[in-house]
Amino acid sequence: MRALLVVNPAATTTSARTRDVLFHALASEMKLEAVTTEYRGHARDLGRQAAESGNVDLVVALGGDGTVNEVVNGLLHTGPNPDLPGLAVVPGGSTNVFARALGLPNDAVEATGAILDALREGRERTVGLGLASGTPGTDDEAVPSRWFTFNAGLGFDAGVVGRVEQQREQGKKSTHALYVRQVVRQFLGEQHRRHGTITLEQPGADAVTDLVVAIVSNTSPWTYLGNRPMYTSPKASFDKGLDVLGLSRLSSAAVARYGTQLLTSSPERGPHGKHAAALHDLSDFTLHSKVPLPLQMDGDHLGLRTSVTFTGVRRALRVIV
């Protein structure tokens, strides 16, 4: 098997020595080339080159969810195709939602062992992904489409992601405490927490209006706080369309209630209540906002948007598990 190992040297939970051990373990089972990323977007470029080369069977992403997202967007540059290289993920970030949602261990060495076992036994699955595009007829229609593997968000949660990225650029480590602090700061600075500006529109259904935040899930759980999974859309699945949790009120009482519900959420129940709208297994829908709001995908802040069209694409990518 011919494989490309894409390594993010800034991965927060693997050392250079560990990465060297993982390389040799993988190289013992396949013809392996390793490339270390050197700039933002490099993993996407490497994924695209692997897809276009015709001589790579597998791309292994060693890094966090951002690295995985870039590789996926490179592989799917021209859309899903059964002849594309498969993807394997070795978790090296702080949270690793996609890898853990696939059932892989959250330890890089253990995950490598699981991947090698899967390759020997021929185990793989084809997962669905989400695609976000600029909405035709709006100011954002020229925004390039982008794939996401596990979640996207417009509004409050994306604002938190943006604040965390700013802190990391200033040298702060990505910790769960850092995220909690930025949630508080985003809440205190949120202008539209009582009167949302987001409308969700989908074909053949009534619009859902006045949302402060819309969280789009391609799988479940939504994320992890340490080892604790948190579920915004418990029924979301790689085998179905997209799920959405929309919240139309983020007052102090609402934040306390939904925060508690998130911390105690389970595969059976996520946040719920008068100001929570839950939608399941959607194929196509659009989020419009009266004002520009931050957008995030797979934990990557993508700037401000007023309109985003989402598509759930089933059986989009082969993954080794």
Side-chain angles (χ1 to χ4, degrees), residues 126-233:
T126 303
V127 299
L129 299 175
L131 181 66
S133 309
T135 305
T138 71
D139 291 341
D140 294 324
E141 67 177 333
V143 176
S145 298
R146 179 160 173 159
W147 297 90
F148 60 96
T149 63
F150 61 92
N151 79 37
L154 183 68
F156 184 86
D157 77 310
V160 174
V161 169
R163 289 176 180 271
V164 170
E165 286 192 4
Q166 289 177 350
Q167 294 295 308
R168 293 186 66 181
E169 288 171 359
Q170 295 171 14
K172 301 287 181 64
K173 290 186 177 180
S174 179
T175 64
H176 298 295
L178 175 63
Y179 274 88
V180 172
R181 289 196 299 272
Q182 301 317 310
V183 167
V184 174
R185 291 175 180 173
Q186 181 67 22
F187 170 74
L188 295 175
E190 179 62 58
Q191 298 179 357
H192 308 287
R193 64 189 186 207
R194 292 183 180 273
H195 303 286
T197 65
I198 303 170
T199 295
L200 185 153
E201 297 179 350
Q202 59 171 318
D206 294 337
V208 182
T209 61
D210 302 325
L211 300 175
V212 180
V213 59
I215 297 173
V216 183
S217 294
N218 184 51
T219 187
S220 190
W222 167 60
T223 191
Y224 292 82
L225 187 62
N227 290 322
R228 179 191 292 274
M230 296 198 292
Y231 301 84
T232 55
S233 299

Side-chain angles (χ1 to χ4, degrees), residues 1 24-31 116 119-120:
M1 174 176 284
H24 284 91
L26 292 166
S28 68
E29 299 285 340
M30 61 191 75
K31 183 177 181 181
L116 291 174
L119 288 169
R120 295 186 193 108

Side-chain angles (χ1 to χ4, degrees), residues 291-312:
V291 299
L293 292 177
L295 173 70
Q296 69 87 13
M297 278 187 265
D298 287 348
D300 190 8
H301 187 268
L302 300 179
L304 301 179
R305 301 284 192 274
T306 56
S307 188
V308 188
T309 294
F310 290 89
T311 305

Side-chain angles (χ1 to χ4, degrees), residues 44 47-52 68-82 84-85 87 127-131 145-149 313-318:
R44 181 194 60 231
R48 180 176 178 178
Q49 291 167 15
E52 293 175 344
V68 175
N69 180 278
E70 286 194 12
V71 170
V72 168
N73 274 277
L75 286 172
L76 299 180
H77 178 72
T78 58
N81 186 320
L84 288 173
L87 173 71
V127 299
L129 299 175
L131 181 66
S145 298
R146 179 160 173 159
W147 297 90
F148 60 96
T149 63
V313 182
R314 303 195 185 206
R315 301 188 60 79
L317 184 68
R318 289 189 302 114

Side-chain angles (χ1 to χ4, degrees), residues 200 202-206 208 215-220 231-246 267-268 270-271 276-285 310-312 314:
L200 185 153
Q202 59 171 318
D206 294 337
V208 182
I215 297 173
V216 183
S217 294
N218 184 51
T219 187
S220 190
Y231 301 84
T232 55
S233 299
K235 293 190 291 184
S237 167
F238 286 128
D239 300 319
K240 297 182 179 179
L242 302 175
D243 282 26
V244 182
L245 173 69
E268 289 73 42
L279 297 91
H280 175 57
D281 195 13
L282 305 184
S283 297
D284 299 279
F285 62 94
F310 290 89
T311 305
R314 303 195 185 206

Side-chain angles (χ1 to χ4, degrees), residues 55-71:
N55 59 11
V56 175
D57 303 305
L58 177 69
V59 177
V60 183
L62 171 52
D65 289 310
T67 302
V68 175
N69 180 278
E70 286 194 12
V71 170

